[in-house]
Amino acid sequence: MKKLLLGAVAGIACAAPAFAADLPARTYPKAPAYTAPEAVYNWTGFYIGGHVGGAFAGNSSLGGDKARFLGGLQGGFDYQFSNWVIGAEVQFSGLTGNGGKGSTLPAGTLVTSNQLGSITGRLGYAWGPALLYAKGGYAVRDNLNISASSGGIPVVVATNGSHRGGFTLGGGLEYMFARNWSAKAEYQYYNFGNTSFAGGPATIVGVRFRDDEHTVKVGFNYRFGWGS
């Protein structure tokens, strides 16, 4: 009996290597190749920033035909849903203007205005880090500084029309180049209606001018809500 058991064990021991050789080689699944996560840009949140650029009065405008430098600040809030972005923005710009940079009219009448502001809504379309937008709303500026002289002698002038409030329209492209930073290029038009001279030298009484400004700006924004 013992010889029979020993023989069976020996047979199994000899057959095991041959059986293992007939089994297929064990395979191991390969780890998937690493793919960096795609950046998710989110325009939702508050922002503040600054801008510089130039102002150019329209034809037949009180602002004259001389380009003026401007610089200022802006701040606002955007909300993104899908690829659309809506928001609101407050912007203030100071302009170089005194010292002959205004409009020189007949009889030595000089017109200057040195501040522009706006409260606007924004609507844009975003793809990745870029945002193309349009804006529009209420515009405000400082009172016109109008002085006149006749034959070198200062004279008083009187005007009719809206000098402070108006409307503004514009648009631009903004690009998010870092986690919390974006850069923009923007065109904005300001219209304050018309101004008529009701009193002063006879050469300007009754003369009517359009009161508007075209501006081009570049700027930066710091965004508090990137990626939220």
Side-chain angles (χ1 to χ4, degrees):
M1 186 67 178
K2 289 182 178 180
K3 291 180 179 181
L4 184 60
L5 291 174
L6 291 174
V9 171
I12 292 172
C14 292
F19 178 75
D22 293 334
L23 292 176
R26 186 172 181 181
T27 59
Y28 297 91
K30 292 184 178 181
Y34 174 76
T35 302
E38 183 179 354
V40 177
Y41 297 92
N42 193 321
W43 293 87
T44 299
F46 290 93
Y47 63 89
I48 58 173
H51 61 268
V52 294
F56 311 87
N59 293 331
S60 302
S61 174
L62 278 170
D65 58 358
K66 297 178 181 177
R68 295 187 289 166
F69 173 82
L70 66 80
L73 302 172
Q74 70 270 351
F77 177 81
D78 287 324
Y79 178 78
Q80 181 173 357
F81 55 99
S82 184
N83 290 92
W84 294 97
V85 179
I86 59 173
E89 183 178 84
V90 177
Q91 186 169 256
F92 171 81
S93 303
L95 295 80
T96 58
N98 289 326
K101 291 293 185 179
S103 177
T104 302
L105 306 177
T109 306
L110 180 67
V111 180
T112 60
S113 180
N114 301 311
Q115 297 174 3
L116 292 173
S118 63
I119 303 173
T120 58
R122 296 208 313 172
L123 174 64
Y125 185 84
W127 66 100
L131 173 66
L132 183 67
Y133 64 89
K135 61 188 292 188
Y138 178 72
V140 65
R141 69 164 182 204
D142 60 333
N143 281 324
L144 285 175
N145 178 17
I146 300 177
S147 60
S149 63
S150 180
I153 302 174
V155 296
V156 177
V157 294
T159 60
N160 295 324
S162 174
H163 304 305
R164 291 184 60 87
F167 70 88
T168 180
L169 297 170
L173 178 66
E174 193 164 353
Y175 189 85
M176 200 177 295
F177 64 89
R179 182 172 177 84
N180 291 91
W181 291 93
S182 62
K184 70 171 185 175
E186 178 181 277
Y187 164 80
Q188 191 168 353
Y189 171 71
Y190 299 81
N191 188 300
F192 299 97
N194 296 291
T195 295
S196 299
F197 286 91
T203 52
I204 64 172
V205 172
V207 176
R208 184 181 182 185
F209 290 90
R210 188 170 63 248
D211 205 355
D212 59 359
E213 292 279 357
H214 300 267
T215 64
V216 179
K217 312 164 193 171
V218 294
F220 294 91
N221 286 321
Y222 179 83
R223 296 187 161 270
F224 297 95
W226 189 91
S228 59

